[in-house]
Amino acid sequence: MANKLWEKNFEINKEIERFTVGRDRELDLYLAKYDVLGSMAHITMLETIGLLTADELKQLLAELKKIYAVCEQGKFVIEDGVEDVHSQVELMLTRKLGDIGKKIHSGRSRNDQVLLDLKLFTRHELKEIAEAVKILFDELIQKSNQYKDVLMPGYTHLQIAMPSSFGLWFGAYAEGLTDDLLFLQAAYRMTNRNPLGSAAGYGSSFPLNRSLTTKLLGFDSMDYNVVYAQMGRGKMERNVAFAMATIAGTLAKMAFDACMFNCQNFSFVKLPKECTTGSSIMPHKKNPDVFELIRAKSNKIQSLPQQVMLIMNNLPVGYFRDLQIIKEVFLPAFDELKDCLQMAAYIINKIEVNKNILDNPMYDPMFSVEEVNRLAADGMPFRDAYKKVGLDIEAGKFVPNKNIHHTHEGSIGNLCNDKIQALMNKTLDEFHFENIKEAEKQLLK
Ligand code: ARG
């Protein structure tokens, strides 16, 4: 039991320890790299306010860089008996450097360490999510342009409604992602503020230079009020979860469409056979499991904001151990969303579209509005034209003209994909990911 940061002159009950440490030894591994980076910034600042000598700082930074390398190799472990990542890093430093290692915690608490670690981890993951969104976006735009002239039925109430196109269908999901990314950016900007210096949630009597750690860690600015900084725990996770859920919502809807359009009764799209799965009993089956799993996993991600909210709901001001449990649902969610985005991009790239859907006369009525509009353009009052075409359809006399001509912005003949692409690029540029990359590079130099 010699490894507890808060150990005094009594031993903690084993069962209490097991229950309170919970899954931290496993989940804190997500945070290890960032705990080290945070410590590097913190001690660099401590030296400037006279709490470490230049020599002590040098030794500590060298050791922390080694620990960072261990994390990068995936070899960082939290030993049995050690509570969490913060304790493990401090233990490794004191083993190597003795008393110097014990100095790094001045002006800091595990409460703001974990806050900081979560923010550094999350902003890195949000960057990866934004990049994965862009890859899917590019696939969708490419397919939209490629099949801009291939018509398909549009539905309302799942009833054949009006002409649509693969250009519109693929492009709609691409544009959806531009909105989702805007949401993600708002979450990113809230995440990209420095909480370090809040200590246990009420600041410190040391003259901490928070502007310096903000700059060293490449944050846009800080969470100024130390009480608010601590309140960010849980709130940040909730806001980010909402942004992830928005992306997941787009994925789930697209996956459902794809499953439906892939069904033989529709036969609008098809997956190459190597991208389908078989049945153990029915030899003919080629199932779109990929889309089904994207749908289910994305739906699961859409429950994340609720899970986070229910864990932190109604907590008053200040730190509580409840917040630890958020890590269990929050930390693994990024890999799941990235996996879904990557598979979606992969499968959209492979998807084949049926270019002859409209040869089937079943879809003829969807041209009814085109005919009504033609008559109205020639001078017949719209209501009369509507009635005439309706009666023709009833009487089996309707002959569709499939040469459609839609010209307004965002319609079949004028997709505005260049505008959608410009929106996406603008939003991506506004993240300024280069700032965090540069700061991390400088710290590790
Ligand atoms: N494992 C803890 C968490 O995630 C770290 C902070 C511990 N702080 C405390 N006051 N017990 O919340």
Side-chain angles (χ1 to χ4, degrees):
M1 206 71 49
N3 290 328
K4 223 164 258 66
L5 294 176
W6 43 274
E7 173 191 289
K8 286 169 283 281
N9 57 358
F10 61 90
E11 280 217 347
I12 180 102
N13 175 301
K14 280 269 174 225
E15 266 304 282
I16 300 293
E17 172 170 27
R18 179 195 63 76
F19 190 71
T20 54
V21 170
R23 290 178 57 200
D24 263 13
R25 284 192 192 107
E26 156 205 349
L27 290 164
D28 276 8
L29 296 181
Y30 284 96
L31 306 177
K33 238 170 86 169
Y34 303 101
D35 200 72
V36 174
L37 279 176
S39 289
M40 291 174 92
H42 182 68
I43 60 173
T44 303
M45 184 276 292
L46 286 184
E47 191 266 342
T48 67
I49 60 169
L51 288 172
L52 286 173
T53 66
D55 181 58
E56 287 169 336
L57 174 64
K58 204 172 139 209
Q59 293 186 55
L60 285 165
L61 284 177
E63 253 346 284
L64 284 167
K65 268 183 227 170
K66 284 184 204 153
I67 301 175
Y68 187 89
V70 173
C71 298
E72 290 262 82
Q73 292 158 8
K75 292 192 181 137
F76 183 90
V77 284
I78 300 172
E79 299 163 33
D80 285 350
V82 178
E83 264 196 291
D84 52 32
V85 64
H86 328 295
S87 315
Q88 180 69 37
V89 173
E90 191 171 319
L91 177 70
M92 289 163 89
L93 290 175
T94 33
R95 268 188 198 145
K96 270 282 172 67
L97 304 173
D99 282 353
I100 303 175
K102 295 187 202 160
K103 289 189 172 183
I104 68 162
H105 208 58
S106 305
R108 195 164 68 153
S109 150
R110 280 182 300 164
N111 293 354
D112 68 336
Q113 259 185 289
V114 65
L115 254 177
L116 174 66
D117 296 359
L118 281 166
K119 285 198 158 202
L120 293 174
F121 165 83
T122 301
R123 78 178 183 182
H124 171 83
E125 292 299 315
L126 290 179
K127 173 172 176 282
E128 300 218 320
I129 298 237
E131 286 163 359
V133 165
K134 176 65 164 61
I135 292 171
L136 173 59
F137 174 87
D138 288 344
E139 291 292 351
L140 288 164
I141 286 285
Q142 196 276 328
K143 283 277 189 287
S144 172
N145 289 334
Q146 183 179 355
Y147 296 120
K148 66 181 181 351
D149 297 323
V150 180
L151 295 182
M152 70 192 284
Y155 294 82
T156 67
H157 310 266
L158 265 188
Q159 303 286 303
I160 294 161
M162 287 186 64
S164 182
S165 71
F166 281 104
L168 277 178
W169 184 66
F170 286 115
Y173 285 104
E175 186 170 353
L177 291 175
T178 66
D179 266 354
D180 298 343
L181 214 63
L182 214 51
F183 214 154
L184 197 78
Q185 188 175 104
Y188 180 81
R189 287 165 70 168
M190 287 181 242
T191 303
N192 201 17
R193 294 200 185 122
N194 185 16
L196 186 62
S198 134
Y202 299 94
S204 164
S205 58
F206 291 122
L208 304 176
N209 185 346
R210 298 190 64 208
S211 298
L212 179 58
T213 54
T214 300
K215 184 163 162 276
L216 289 172
L217 291 165
F219 282 113
D220 278 346
S221 62
M222 63 182 92
D223 290 322
Y224 292 97
N225 180 312
V226 289
V227 171
Y228 179 65
Q230 176 55 51
M231 275 184 205
R233 182 100 187 260
K235 178 170 174 171
M236 184 272 290
E237 291 95 314
R238 185 198 62 200
N239 291 342
V240 169
F242 270 118
M244 293 167 78
T246 302
I247 296 169
T250 302
L251 286 181
K253 196 179 187 81
M254 183 181 80
F256 197 157
D257 282 0
C259 287
M260 186 169 74
F261 292 161
N262 179 68
C263 161
Q264 291 89 343
N265 298 71
F266 285 82
S267 289
F268 294 174
V269 299
K270 215 173 114 192
L271 292 174
K273 59 181 183 310
E274 66 275 15
C275 293
T276 62
T277 58
S279 152
S280 60
I281 176 171
M282 298 166 281
H284 64 285
K285 287 305 277 300
K286 294 193 183 64
N287 297 322
D289 293 24
V290 170
F291 280 121
E292 292 166 13
L293 290 169
I294 289 173
R295 178 172 60 197
K297 284 166 183 266
S298 299
N299 283 336
K300 185 178 153 209
I301 291 166
Q302 289 183 83
S303 76
L304 189 63
Q306 279 69 26
Q307 292 183 64
V308 173
M309 268 192 290
L310 287 171
I311 296 167
M312 62 174 249
N313 232 1
N314 304 330
L315 291 181
V317 63
Y319 174 85
F320 294 94
R321 198 67 180 263
D322 305 52
L323 298 166
Q324 174 171 302
I325 300 304
I326 296 175
K327 292 191 290 193
E328 293 180 12
V329 291
F330 185 69
L331 297 178
F334 292 93
D335 283 341
E336 282 182 26
L337 182 55
K338 281 188 284 181
D339 202 19
C340 287
L341 283 164
Q342 277 151 15
M343 278 316 294
Y346 184 81
I347 204 81
I348 288 294
N349 174 279
K350 301 272 180 209
I351 207 168
E352 295 159 9
V353 318
N354 176 355
K355 294 183 178 160
N356 306 307
I357 300 171
L358 302 188
D359 291 353
N360 186 336
M362 175 171 107
Y363 300 116
D364 285 358
M366 76 182 196
F367 293 97
S368 67
V369 184
E370 310 297 306
E371 188 56 28
V372 172
N373 289 355
R374 234 184 310 274
L375 294 171
D378 288 346
M380 190 184 290
F382 178 84
R383 202 39 71 204
D384 294 345
Y386 172 94
K387 195 156 193 179
K388 174 182 160 19
V389 173
L391 292 172
D392 283 353
I393 291 172
E394 289 293 316
K397 290 195 309 199
F398 175 65
V399 186
N401 176 348
K402 298 186 183 177
N403 263 327
I404 64 158
H405 193 59
H406 291 199
T407 57
H408 68 74
E409 293 99 327
S411 67
I412 296 175
N414 183 8
L415 295 172
C416 296
N417 281 348
D418 52 339
K419 302 267 188 331
I420 295 170
Q421 231 156 344
L423 256 178
M424 174 53 96
N425 291 337
K426 179 166 181 283
T427 304
L428 272 175
D429 284 348
E430 285 165 357
F431 275 91
H432 296 297
F433 289 130
E434 65 282 1
N435 295 348
I436 66 173
K437 209 167 139 204
E438 184 54 29
E440 289 179 13
K441 204 174 95 194
Q442 289 298 327
L443 262 182
L444 290 162
K445 201 168 68 181

